[in-house]
Amino acid sequence: MPNPQPTLGFVLNDVARLLRKRFEQRARCLGLTRAQWQVLAYLSANEGIHQGGLADLLDIEPITLVRILDKLEVAGMVERRRHATDRRLWLLYLTPAAHPMLARMRLLGDATRQEALEGLSDEERAQLLHMLTTMKRNLLDACDRPVETADAQA
């Protein structure tokens, strides 16, 4: 008999999907794709990272990232700089033109989160963030350990 109650994983997935969907509805006016705004957001917190490292953070293939970066570079929002000692690496930086776009994205993100958290007190919001952060840390630690054979067969 199927479980009528949704599991934590399904609810988290739905919440993440709906947050992205609502943000995209708000962000259409910016003229960026979801992939482009995700690259800008991650790059803003990791300027000077090389392309492979950013691809890893975004969990996308490096060739996919190269295509996104090409478009952002043409739009004047991202620049590639050669690594000082390794000519094979390109380091990524935001241009001054990207900062106003990021500010607008942050405002749209704030409004989207406000909608999602409506009805929760400041204390409940803090607890939710704490619990999700703990879950994330637990899973990051678990991903660094091998899966036991019994777990994989279950």
Side-chain angles (χ1 to χ4, degrees):
M1 181 167 167
N3 184 355
Q5 197 156 8
T7 64
L8 176 64
F10 279 104
V11 172
L12 286 173
N13 184 60
D14 283 347
V15 169
R17 178 182 55 80
L18 290 167
L19 280 168
R20 282 189 306 271
K21 180 179 181 177
R22 186 60 174 152
F23 181 87
E24 287 172 1
Q25 289 173 338
R26 291 176 178 280
R28 280 191 189 118
C29 64
L30 300 180
L32 294 175
T33 66
R34 178 196 311 173
Q36 289 169 332
W37 58 255
Q38 285 177 322
V39 167
L40 289 175
Y42 273 82
L43 185 53
S44 72
N46 297 282
E47 282 198 82
I49 193 170
H50 61 85
Q51 291 180 180
L54 185 58
D56 288 344
L57 285 176
L58 290 162
D59 199 24
I60 62 175
E61 292 297 320
I63 190 66
T64 302
L65 177 61
V66 166
R67 287 192 292 266
I68 297 166
L69 289 170
D70 288 345
K71 290 178 182 172
L72 289 171
E73 193 171 35
V74 167
M77 293 196 209
V78 171
E79 68 175 314
R80 294 171 168 118
R81 299 180 196 162
R82 286 230 180 256
H83 190 278
T85 58
D86 189 341
R87 293 185 43 191
R88 297 169 297 169
L89 293 179
W90 289 95
L91 305 180
L92 304 170
Y93 294 88
L94 296 174
T95 65
H99 294 286
M101 180 68 74
L102 282 165
R104 290 178 67 192
M105 288 170 50
R106 286 186 186 104
L107 290 173
L108 297 175
D110 290 344
T112 303
R113 281 185 296 281
Q114 193 63 31
E115 282 181 326
L117 296 170
E118 192 172 317
L120 296 178
S121 69
D122 288 343
E123 183 180 332
E124 289 169 322
R125 292 173 186 210
Q127 288 174 336
L128 176 62
L129 185 58
H130 174 75
M131 288 185 281
L132 290 172
T133 302
T134 299
M135 288 175 63
K136 178 182 174 182
R137 187 174 45 252
N138 290 345
L139 290 168
L140 284 169
D141 290 345
C143 286
D144 287 338
R145 295 189 305 269
V147 175
E148 295 185 24
T149 307
D151 290 344
Q153 293 175 354

